[in-house]
Amino acid sequence: VIKAKNFEYDKIKNILIAFGDVEIIDEEENILIKSQKITYLKNEEIVFTNGKSKAISNSIIIDADNFEYDKIKNIINANGNVKIKDTINDYLILANESIYYKNSEKIITKGKTEADIQSKYFITSKNITYLHDKKILSSQHKTKIKDQKSKVYFAEKFNYLINQEIVKGENFLIITNYNLPKSDK
């Protein structure tokens, strides 16, 4: 279902352009997409959004400048000021580009990425993969992880098992804010 204030339909090319408070409701896939303007290529089952866009699927909310939603593959490519929020598991991922593979519940970011996991861990890396069902966040690139106690971890690669609060990685460097108590004189 597509709702909007205005529609233009090219019957020969089978292309729909909708603008003005556009909502795409895909009940079968449980996805709601909102934008100010969309182009729907009916033959390819692909939707392009232009301008501030939002996708909502279960507890995941994705905000970005633009989307490409491939209905057949059930994939959302988000571009520009991407903000991915899980309202139930309390995480936030910020990137310039991401791909959400809804069928496998996997999110991949491209380029510099920042993540806030339950306000406990603040991660800076690039090309992060988040496996939503398994609650695993990982990257094959240099990563900085800061915890709420001001400990800072640097790693070449990392895997963070969110539910177990276990970080695994290569070539770890840990910087703590730990001070030994002064001995009595």
Side-chain angles (χ1 to χ4, degrees), residues 16-78:
L16 173 73
I17 298 173
F19 47 97
D21 298 327
V22 181
E23 287 189 1
I24 301 168
I25 304 161
D26 188 339
E27 291 180 0
E28 184 178 303
E29 296 299 337
N30 192 23
I31 293 177
L32 169 66
I33 296 176
K34 297 180 177 186
S35 187
Q36 284 305 304
K37 182 179 179 185
I38 64 110
T39 302
Y40 175 41
L41 309 178
K42 174 65 177 143
N43 295 339
E44 292 87 7
E45 292 288 336
I46 295 176
V47 175
F48 296 96
T49 69
N50 289 337
K52 189 75 176 142
S53 303
K54 179 180 282 200
I56 302 168
S57 178
N58 301 323
S59 67
I60 296 177
I61 301 170
I62 303 171
D63 287 296
D65 293 340
N66 302 293
F67 290 153
E68 178 184 324
Y69 172 46
D70 186 323
K71 184 169 170 28
I72 295 168
K73 294 178 182 175
N74 209 10
I75 295 172
I76 296 175
N77 285 302

Side-chain angles (χ1 to χ4, degrees), residues 9-185:
Y9 179 62
D10 184 328
K11 189 173 180 178
I12 296 170
K13 294 180 181 176
N14 212 10
I15 297 174
L16 173 73
I17 298 173
F19 47 97
D21 298 327
V22 181
E23 287 189 1
I24 301 168
I25 304 161
D26 188 339
E27 291 180 0
E28 184 178 303
E29 296 299 337
N30 192 23
I31 293 177
L32 169 66
I33 296 176
K34 297 180 177 186
S35 187
Q36 284 305 304
K37 182 179 179 185
I38 64 110
T39 302
Y40 175 41
L41 309 178
K42 174 65 177 143
N43 295 339
E44 292 87 7
E45 292 288 336
I46 295 176
V47 175
F48 296 96
T49 69
N50 289 337
K52 189 75 176 142
S53 303
K54 179 180 282 200
I56 302 168
S57 178
N58 301 323
S59 67
I60 296 177
I61 301 170
I62 303 171
D63 287 296
D65 293 340
N66 302 293
F67 290 153
E68 178 184 324
Y69 172 46
D70 186 323
K71 184 169 170 28
I72 295 168
K73 294 178 182 175
N74 209 10
I75 295 172
I76 296 175
N77 285 302
N79 290 291
N81 299 308
V82 178
K83 178 178 164 183
I84 303 163
K85 185 173 185 175
D86 185 325
T87 57
I88 293 175
N89 297 298
D90 190 23
Y91 75 76
L92 175 67
I93 298 173
L94 304 172
N96 196 43
E97 186 176 349
S98 74
I99 304 169
Y100 175 40
Y101 299 89
K102 183 161 182 343
N103 294 341
S104 59
E105 290 297 326
K106 177 168 77 171
I107 296 170
I108 297 175
T109 67
K110 293 184 180 179
K112 182 181 176 188
T113 305
E114 295 177 351
D116 175 346
I117 308 300
Q118 302 166 338
S119 297
K120 292 180 182 180
Y121 298 97
F122 306 94
I123 299 167
T124 304
S125 189
K126 68 178 187 178
N127 303 342
I128 285 181
T129 298
Y130 177 65
L131 304 176
H132 180 72
D133 288 344
K134 296 179 181 177
K135 305 293 182 271
I136 298 172
L137 192 71
S138 64
S139 175
Q140 299 298 308
H141 298 276
K142 290 182 181 179
T143 300
K144 175 184 174 185
I145 303 170
K146 182 179 178 186
D147 70 15
Q148 63 191 18
K149 297 176 184 173
S150 298
K151 287 182 187 169
V152 180
Y153 308 83
F154 294 94
E156 294 294 321
K157 302 176 184 181
F158 86 99
N159 277 325
Y160 175 52
L161 310 174
I162 295 171
N163 289 344
Q164 293 86 15
E165 293 190 33
I166 296 172
V167 178
K168 298 178 181 181
E170 291 183 11
N171 298 323
F172 261 100
L173 170 64
I174 302 171
I175 301 172
T176 66
N177 201 13
Y178 182 77
N179 293 317
L180 294 173
K182 293 181 181 180
S183 61
D184 294 330
K185 292 185 179 180

